[in-house]
Amino acid sequence: MPMTEKDVFYDIGCGSGRMVCIAALKNVKKCVGVEISEKLSGLANRNAASMRFRKAAIEILQSDACKVDYTEGTVFALFNPFGAKTLSTVLELIRVSVLQNPRKVRIIYIYPVERLVFD
């Protein structure tokens, strides 16, 4: 299902921001990267700032993924950024955000080492 201008894309554990920048080339409302590392979030901000031809705003949050408000997100991407306990907490935050702000969400889980958390 393609993203639309109503989608807010979150890359949780965004690293240098590569996936956030790629998503910003699409016609989406906003792209948000979440990264706990100060060094990597700084790199992600620099990469976003130097990006050309983007269609969406990019926001990089230097934060623990377990402390982020996900209520505006509709598409969540994770490239196996952390272990089962943190993944469980983040998924619960997303679930609660959907209860508070009902909407359809999609989760992209690449390299699903902790697949059992989803099951």
Side-chain angles (χ1 to χ4, degrees):
M1 180 176 197
M3 293 190 295
T4 71
E5 66 280 347
K6 294 179 182 179
D7 282 309
V8 177
F9 177 87
Y10 273 74
D11 182 6
I12 304 170
C14 72
S16 64
R18 186 177 303 156
M19 199 177 325
V20 172
C21 290
I22 290 170
L25 294 171
K26 303 294 183 186
N27 190 24
V28 297
K29 186 175 181 180
K30 181 167 100 172
C31 297
V32 180
V34 179
E35 177 56 53
I36 196 167
S37 164
E38 183 177 353
K39 180 180 178 182
L40 288 174
S41 64
L43 179 57
N45 269 310
R46 288 190 297 280
N47 287 338
S50 67
M51 193 181 153
R52 297 174 19 197
F53 309 116
R54 73 175 174 206
K55 296 179 181 178
I58 299 173
E59 179 182 353
I60 304 297
L61 305 175
Q62 184 197 343
S63 179
D64 180 332
C66 295
K67 297 180 180 178
V68 172
D69 178 2
Y70 296 107
T71 54
E72 67 178 341
T74 58
V75 178
F76 299 94
L78 302 100
F79 192 100
N80 193 40
F82 28 66
K85 183 177 179 184
T86 302
L87 181 58
S88 293
T89 301
V90 169
L91 292 176
E92 179 63 12
L93 288 171
I94 293 169
R95 187 187 75 76
V96 169
S97 81
V98 170
L99 292 174
Q100 294 170 343
N101 176 28
R103 67 205 184 277
K104 284 188 176 185
V105 299
R106 290 165 279 166
I107 298 175
I108 304 161
Y109 186 38
I110 302 166
Y111 194 61
V113 173
E114 302 296 345
R115 171 125 192 189
L116 291 177
V117 174
F118 280 87
D119 294 345

Short mmCIF file of all heavy atoms in Angstrom, two decimals, residues 19 45 90 92 97:
data_model
loop_
_atom_site.label_atom_id
_atom_site.label_comp_id
_atom_site.label_asym_id
_atom_site.label_seq_id
_atom_site.Cartn_x
_atom_site.Cartn_y
_atom_site.Cartn_z
N MET A 19 16.72 6.13 5.56
CA MET A 19 15.34 5.76 5.23
C MET A 19 14.38 6.96 5.36
O MET A 19 13.46 7.10 4.58
CB MET A 19 14.86 4.60 6.11
CG MET A 19 13.67 3.90 5.52
SD MET A 19 13.03 2.44 6.39
CE MET A 19 14.41 1.64 7.07
N ASN A 45 20.43 14.65 10.97
CA ASN A 45 20.02 16.04 10.77
C ASN A 45 20.80 16.69 9.63
O ASN A 45 20.22 17.40 8.79
CB ASN A 45 20.20 16.86 12.05
CG ASN A 45 18.95 16.85 12.90
OD1 ASN A 45 17.87 17.11 12.42
ND2 ASN A 45 19.12 16.55 14.18
N VAL A 90 7.97 -0.23 22.56
CA VAL A 90 7.64 0.66 21.44
C VAL A 90 6.33 0.23 20.78
O VAL A 90 5.47 1.08 20.48
CB VAL A 90 8.80 0.70 20.42
CG1 VAL A 90 8.38 1.39 19.14
CG2 VAL A 90 10.02 1.40 21.04
N GLU A 92 3.88 -1.31 22.13
CA GLU A 92 2.80 -0.97 23.06
C GLU A 92 2.49 0.53 22.99
O GLU A 92 1.32 0.93 23.02
CB GLU A 92 3.15 -1.39 24.49
CG GLU A 92 2.09 -1.05 25.52
CD GLU A 92 0.74 -1.74 25.31
OE1 GLU A 92 0.63 -2.68 24.49
OE2 GLU A 92 -0.23 -1.32 25.98
N SER A 97 -1.25 4.60 21.25
CA SER A 97 -1.49 5.81 20.46
C SER A 97 -2.65 5.61 19.48
O SER A 97 -3.41 6.54 19.21
CB SER A 97 -0.22 6.23 19.71
OG SER A 97 -0.01 5.50 18.52
#
